[in-house]
């Protein structure tokens, strides 16, 4: 994977009465990076915050333009199953699909599976023959589960009910010598009872949460159901 | 992308709102992670003729 890299994480939540979609972007300086005006905005000045929906729409347009001109690489990992935890930790895994490929405009190529696809159709090579993507179990799974990132984001923007900036996730470095496990009674930092303070929450314009309608959640869930991976288990 | 799906309990009901995805309540979770690399210019894709026909 190239050095210049972006990560996209999207959350779709669905129940009978509550539906929301969260779209988050963590930028590393690439095409998803907020424009300079966003970064220059004062952290505590809500009035100067850029419009998240507009920024996301612009970022997706930039990605599309880059895709048409230069293409880009994707790595995608899809997994899931049953959880009974508030943090959604899965205890029974049913889905695990990992693919790498390249996208040039409306064309995706997955070398390992020998798949070419556009947003509506696809072809997979089985032995020496090219067959429709969905005629192969592996091709069908890929088709149902792996999406064109820009199409996915555009759909989220188009169906958004609300959009807002949220704080980026803070990763804890367990190897940091100053890290103290707050649940470990035996752990005590050198020099007494000093406890390492949590880093201050820093406002930034890197991560966006979007609430959208149930329609999109149902669409992507149906994709997983129709991939054949669940086997009627869930 | 994380997809959360509420499940019906023994009484055939799904809890409302976030409660459907809380501790002790079984629910379905799918997560998707996309990493995008935009470094440099990639070579254009050359689609074999037999595959091209299937993309139309």
């Amino acid at each position: 994977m190239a050095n210049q890299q972006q990560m996209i994480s999207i959350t779709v939540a669905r129940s009978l009465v509550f539906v929301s979609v969260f779209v988050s972007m963590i930028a590393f300086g690439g095409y998803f990076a907020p424009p300079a005006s966003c970064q220059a905005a004062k952290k505590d000045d809500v009035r100067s915050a850029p419009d998240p929906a507009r920024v996301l729409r612009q970022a997706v347009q930039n990605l599309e333009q880059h895709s048409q001109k230069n293409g880009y690489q994707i790595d995608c990992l899809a997994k899931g199953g049953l959880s009974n935890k508030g943090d959604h930790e899965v205890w029974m895994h049913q889905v695990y699909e990992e693919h790498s490929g390249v996208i040039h405009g409306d064309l995706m190529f997955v070398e390992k599976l020998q798949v070419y696809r556009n947003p509506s159709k696809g072809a997979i090579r089985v032995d020496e023959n090219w067959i429709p993507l969905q005629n192969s179990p592996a091709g069908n799974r890929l088709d149902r589960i792996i999406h064109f990132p820009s199409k996915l984001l555009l759909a989220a923007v188009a169906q958004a009910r609300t959009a807002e900036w949220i704080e980026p996730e803070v990763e804890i470095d367990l190897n940091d010598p100053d890290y103290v496990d707050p649940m470990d009674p035996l752990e005590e930092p050198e020099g007494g009872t000093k406890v390492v303070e949590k880093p201050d929450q820093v406002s930034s314009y890197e991560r966006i949460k979007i609430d959208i309608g149930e329609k999109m959640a149902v669409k992507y869930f149906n994709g997983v159901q129709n991939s054949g991976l669940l086997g009627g288990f869930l | 992308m994380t997809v959360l799906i509420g499940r019906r309990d023994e009484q055939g009901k799904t809890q409302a709102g976030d409660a459907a995805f809380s501790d002790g309540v079984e629910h379905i979770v799918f997560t998707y992670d996309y990493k995008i690399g935009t470094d440099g210019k990639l070579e254009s894709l050359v689609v074999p003729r037999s595959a091209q026909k299937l993309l139309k």
Side-chain angles (χ1 to χ4, degrees):
Chain A
M1 180 54 68
N3 292 331
Q4 191 176 15
Q5 187 176 82
Q6 294 82 36
M7 294 177 66
I8 305 169
S9 69
I10 299 175
T11 299
V12 181
R14 174 186 176 230
S15 74
L16 292 181
V17 294
F18 171 76
V19 181
S20 68
V21 174
F22 305 92
V23 178
S24 305
M25 300 186 302
I26 301 171
F28 295 100
Y31 276 76
F32 278 116
S37 60
C38 304
Q39 295 166 345
K42 293 178 181 177
K43 292 172 183 175
D44 57 352
D45 189 351
V46 176
R47 289 171 299 177
S48 66
D51 177 4
R54 187 176 58 81
V55 170
L56 178 60
R57 199 175 298 115
Q58 183 62 54
V60 176
Q61 287 174 1
N62 289 347
L63 181 65
E64 274 291 278
Q65 288 174 4
H66 183 86
S67 176
Q68 296 287 345
K69 191 176 176 183
N70 298 318
Y72 61 90
Q73 299 169 287
I74 61 164
D75 288 334
C76 181
L77 171 62
K79 59 183 180 179
L82 282 176
S83 173
N84 55 8
K85 300 286 187 183
D87 62 4
H88 316 307
E89 180 186 359
V90 173
W91 66 272
M92 183 184 286
H93 287 272
Q94 288 291 302
V95 175
Y96 193 97
E97 286 282 312
E98 191 170 16
H99 297 285
S100 296
V102 295
I103 294 177
H104 238 294
D106 277 342
L107 190 62
M108 178 190 292
F109 176 53
V110 180
E111 184 176 9
K112 192 173 180 182
L113 289 179
Q114 285 293 294
V115 165
Y116 289 95
R117 64 191 288 230
N118 59 34
S120 57
K121 292 184 176 179
I124 183 169
R125 194 169 77 178
V126 177
D127 297 325
E128 295 303 316
N129 301 313
W130 289 95
I131 63 173
L133 190 56
Q134 294 193 352
N135 287 9
S136 148
N140 187 46
R141 287 199 302 273
L142 178 86
D143 193 48
R144 301 283 187 181
I145 291 178
I146 309 300
H147 307 283
F148 285 75
S150 58
K151 307 295 180 198
L152 195 153
L153 288 171
L154 277 176
V157 172
Q159 298 179 46
R161 291 198 291 220
T162 63
E164 61 179 318
W165 294 103
I166 58 175
E167 295 295 336
E169 289 179 329
V170 178
E171 290 188 8
I172 298 173
D173 182 4
L174 298 177
N175 295 320
D176 187 332
D178 291 333
Y179 173 75
V180 177
D181 184 349
M183 300 302 290
D184 187 351
L186 300 178
E187 189 78 30
E188 187 171 313
E190 291 180 9
T193 57
K194 182 182 178 184
V195 176
V196 177
E197 294 179 0
K198 289 182 180 178
D200 290 335
Q201 290 284 341
V202 178
S203 294
S204 68
Y205 300 110
E206 295 178 349
R207 194 171 169 86
I208 297 170
K209 170 185 168 186
I210 292 185
D211 291 335
I212 67 168
E214 185 175 353
K215 196 176 172 183
M216 186 168 169
V218 171
K219 178 183 173 183
Y220 287 104
F221 177 61
N222 287 344
V224 178
Q225 274 193 316
N226 294 330
S227 70
L229 284 167
L230 302 182
F233 187 79
L234 295 178
Chain B
M1 173 159 66
T2 302
V3 182
L4 306 178
I5 309 294
R7 301 191 82 193
R8 290 188 176 91
D9 59 19
E10 292 173 349
Q11 285 75 44
K13 294 179 180 178
T14 302
Q15 296 199 30
D18 287 341
F21 315 121
S22 58
D23 267 330
V25 180
E26 198 163 71
H27 53 279
I28 300 167
V29 182
F30 300 121
T31 63
Y32 303 67
D33 284 312
Y34 289 90
K35 293 181 181 178
I36 297 173
T38 54
D39 245 5
K41 182 179 173 68
L42 303 182
E43 289 182 10
S44 295
L45 296 172
V46 180
V47 185
R49 186 165 293 178
S50 302
Q52 280 182 23
K53 293 176 184 174
L54 298 170
L55 297 178
K56 292 178 181 174

